[in-house]
Each structure stands twice: as structure tokens, then as C-alpha cells.
Amino acid sequence: MKMTFRWFGQDDPVTLQNIRQIPGMHGIVTALYDVPVGEAWPMESILALKETIETAGLRIAVIESVPVHEDIKLGKPTRDRMIENYSQTIRRLGAVGVPVICYNFMPVFDWTRSSLAHILPDGSTTLTFEDETISRMDPVLGDLSLPGWDSSYSKEEMGQLIEAYADVTEEKLFDNLAYFLERIIPVAEEAGVVMAIHPDDPPWPIFGLPRIVSNMEQLRRLTEHVDSPANGITFCSGSLGANEDNDLLDIIRHFGSQGKLHFAHTRNILRTGPRSFQESSHLSSDGSIDMTRVLEALYETGFEGPLRPDHGRMIWGEKGRPGYGLFDRALGAAYLNGIWEAISKTRS
């Protein structure tokens, strides 16, 4: 296992120096954030990012993510041009030694929460998803503000995009994902890169939009459709664990045994009701997921890939990007490293 940390570039309040000082830190999970979705990433920008990170004494472990354009998800005629640009980005990332690309196939919305600063009894704040709150929201009316997309679309553009998905069923969305995979996985194989799809977050449909990467059956279907070592998954304990019907250990063992578990997000969540949860500290006793059992399953399958603490609370008065402060994620990294060391020493 290689401990890694998400970094959002030069504008991130969490610096590379901060990250390097976390014990056991191996690499950086990052991306280019100024390239319009659908365009190929410039090689000079990739090289500059690589140099910045290596100068700080770290390395790029994962690119998270190369976003998939909505035209690809919708199966529009323009998708072939977008896929060729995506393929060019894969080739360039492979050429500079990037081993893993994480991506998702969620329509319109990336990870979705109803609150970004829910106050916990200890005074820290966290991300929450309350189904009742989300069900009352209408993104077309503009009464929803979420990270990652809220400044990307005008109200009119959002309405048009939601309307475009009106006739897109789960089966049609899978067909569009299959079309995408059939074209990019051979490119990834040639480039020496593995693709790791991230599960839907949360793992159920929202705002009437289909979701097709939410459970074991769906993950198996997409990895088996293009059966290649380059076509794998990002195991996310928080995303998949929000649905108590998902057997996290079974998912790890299945894909780990096939060599298709390429990246791991390990965070805890506390389920608070049907389709509702709040993000907790990484500590097992604070949430609904037994993190020791998760890491044991990863260890037993021989997982040697990058792993990162995922969303953290905002603690000790820290201000910053919701879910991505320094302190709680650093505590999470230390906690996960401690569990891993204990497992490895007692199993050797």
C-alpha cells in the first residue's frame, strides 16, 4: 500500500510542504484544473505539474481526475472527438509515468451533499447527505449550491443539460460507458496506465438522473465488458458504504483477486437514516464502517496500490475547501498507516 494525499494545485490552502510532513506519505493525487472538460491536456502543463510535485520531494501517484465530457455520457455525435482528446491525455500522462487515472461516469453532478458544514457535537464541521433535503431541491431552479459544478453552468444551461438526460435510461447510460471503455482501455494498455472508475457518490440516483456505478453487479458488468487489467475500479469505502446493502469486503476481495482494484479511497461515514449519512472521522467507532476490516481485506488481496484518506471534517478552526482540509485528513492518514502496520506485522 502506498499512502497518498489529494492536492488541488497551487491555489490549495494545503501545501505540498504540509503534505510531505505527514508521516509515511508516498505520493500526490492531483489533476489539471484549468483545462476545459473535453480538451486534451497540454503536455507542457502536465510536465510543469510533475516538476512542481517532484521538486517538493513527492511524486504523482494518481491523476484524479480526467473528467468525462457530458457529450460522451449522453452519446452525442461529438463524443468521438471528445474521446480522441481523452485518449491523447491518457497517452501524455502515460508518457510522463503516471500509473493510475481515476475518473467517474456520474451524469451532471460529481459527489453530492446537502450540507458542506454540518456542525457536530464536538464543534467540528462535516459534509452530510440528507435525502429529505435533497428531494426538495431543484437544480434547474438554481436553489442548489454544490462544489465542483455550481459555477460551471448557468440556470439555463443546467436546465438544458437535465432535459438532455430525460430519455437516458440506466441501460442507455451503460451503453455510452461501454462505448467509451471500448475505445480508451486499449489506449491505456498501450500507454502503461490503468483506469480506475470511481463509484457513484452517493450510490443511488439523484434528481431523476441514472446511476450505473453503485454496486457490485454494476462494477462487475463494466469491468467484464472490457476485460483488461487496465479496466479497474477505485474502491471508495465512503461512497459504496453509504448503501448498507453493499458488502465492502466482498467487493474488495472480488476485484482485488482479479487485479482490478487500482486505487483506494478509505474514509468513514455514519449512516443516519434511509439514504442519509454524515461524514465522520476515519476512526471505526465514529462511523458505520469497520476500517480495520476494510484494510485487512485490502492486505489479504495483496493490494499494493495508492490509497488515500478521503474527505475529512474541518477541525481546530481550520478554514478551507469543504472536505479537504489538512488536519483531519492528516489524522486519517496516520490512523490508516497505523492499522496497516499492525496488520502487516501480525500477518508476516
Side-chain angles (χ1 to χ4, degrees):
M1 182 271 286
K2 302 176 180 66
M3 183 60 66
T4 62
F5 211 80
R6 184 79 179 265
W7 181 63
F8 288 93
Q10 300 290 6
D11 294 333
D12 194 331
V14 180
T15 67
L16 290 172
Q17 184 179 24
N18 294 151
I19 296 169
R20 188 182 180 188
Q21 292 172 8
I22 300 170
M25 193 53 57
H26 175 82
I28 294 296
V29 177
T30 191
L32 292 179
Y33 299 99
D34 58 351
V35 180
V37 177
E39 293 188 10
W41 288 11
M43 178 59 93
E44 57 270 24
S45 298
I46 295 171
L47 289 171
L49 178 65
K50 182 174 185 282
E51 181 180 6
T52 297
I53 291 170
E54 290 182 349
T55 298
L58 295 160
R59 60 183 290 274
I60 298 178
V62 181
I63 288 293
E64 183 185 346
S65 61
V66 181
V68 179
H69 197 279
E70 297 298 328
D71 286 5
I72 298 173
K73 300 173 193 175
L74 287 164
K76 288 188 173 183
T78 50
R79 66 179 171 179
D80 287 331
R81 177 172 60 84
M82 302 291 183
I83 291 173
E84 179 49 44
N85 288 344
Y86 202 102
S87 297
Q88 187 63 20
T89 297
I90 293 173
R91 294 185 188 100
R92 290 171 179 170
L93 291 171
V96 302
V98 170
V100 182
I101 296 174
C102 175
Y103 68 104
N104 73 70
F105 216 76
M106 291 181 258
V108 188
F109 304 100
D110 202 322
W111 60 271
T112 304
R113 300 292 183 269
S114 55
S115 174
L116 304 181
H118 173 75
I119 301 175
L120 295 172
D122 63 4
S124 62
T125 62
T126 193
L127 310 174
T128 62
F129 185 100
E130 295 295 334
D131 187 63
E132 183 179 350
T133 301
I134 291 291
S135 66
R136 295 197 303 266
M137 293 179 171
D138 187 344
V140 176
L141 297 179
D143 62 352
L144 182 64
S145 179
L146 300 171
W149 70 269
D150 52 325
S151 61
S152 302
Y153 305 109
S154 67
K155 188 183 296 186
E156 181 180 359
E157 289 170 334
M158 177 61 70
Q160 292 172 347
L161 190 53
I162 295 291
E163 184 179 355
Y165 275 99
D167 297 325
V168 179
T169 63
E170 287 189 0
E171 195 62 28
K172 178 59 177 174
L173 186 61
F174 178 81
D175 288 344
N176 295 338
L177 172 57
Y179 186 94
F180 176 67
L181 292 173
E182 288 163 6
R183 285 151 183 80
I184 66 154
I185 295 303
V187 175
E189 290 173 341
E190 294 175 5
V193 175
V194 294
M195 304 297 297
I197 195 166
H198 190 286
D200 301 324
D201 186 4
W204 50 72
I206 57 171
F207 307 123
L209 297 166
R211 296 277 182 129
I212 58 167
V213 192
S214 295
N215 55 46
M216 168 71 92
E217 180 183 356
Q218 293 173 340
L219 290 166
R220 287 184 63 173
R221 186 183 187 192
L222 71 90
T223 54
E224 290 173 2
H225 182 80
V226 179
D227 190 4
S228 164
N231 183 26
I233 73 166
T234 294
F235 170 80
C236 181
S237 60
S239 298
L240 292 167
N243 183 348
E244 62 181 349
D245 292 336
N246 282 330
D247 186 329
L248 301 186
L249 305 187
D250 191 34
I251 290 171
I252 292 171
R253 290 167 183 145
H254 177 82
F255 293 101
S257 66
Q258 294 185 341
K260 292 184 178 180
L261 203 166
H262 298 319
F263 182 29
H265 290 183
T266 44
R267 61 179 167 88
N268 209 343
I269 54 98
L270 178 66
R271 302 185 201 103
T272 55
R275 295 195 172 192
S276 298
F277 59 90
Q278 65 186 32
E279 302 197 358
S280 65
S281 79
H282 288 72
L283 193 68
S284 295
S285 59
D286 281 351
S288 300
I289 298 170
D290 190 328
M291 302 305 295
T292 298
R293 296 291 175 261
V294 165
L295 292 182
E296 281 180 338
L298 288 169
Y299 183 88
E300 289 166 359
T301 60
F303 179 72
E304 297 180 345
L307 175 151
R308 72 171 175 86
D310 205 355
H311 303 161
R313 302 163 300 144
M314 300 304 283
I315 64 174
W316 302 335
E318 184 178 17
K319 305 296 181 183
R321 182 184 295 267
Y324 288 101
L326 170 63
F327 303 144
D328 202 38
R329 287 190 297 153
L331 289 175
Y335 174 66
L336 297 169
N337 265 329
I339 294 174
W340 192 268
E341 180 178 348
I343 293 170
S344 62
K345 287 188 174 179
T346 56
R347 301 295 178 89
S348 60

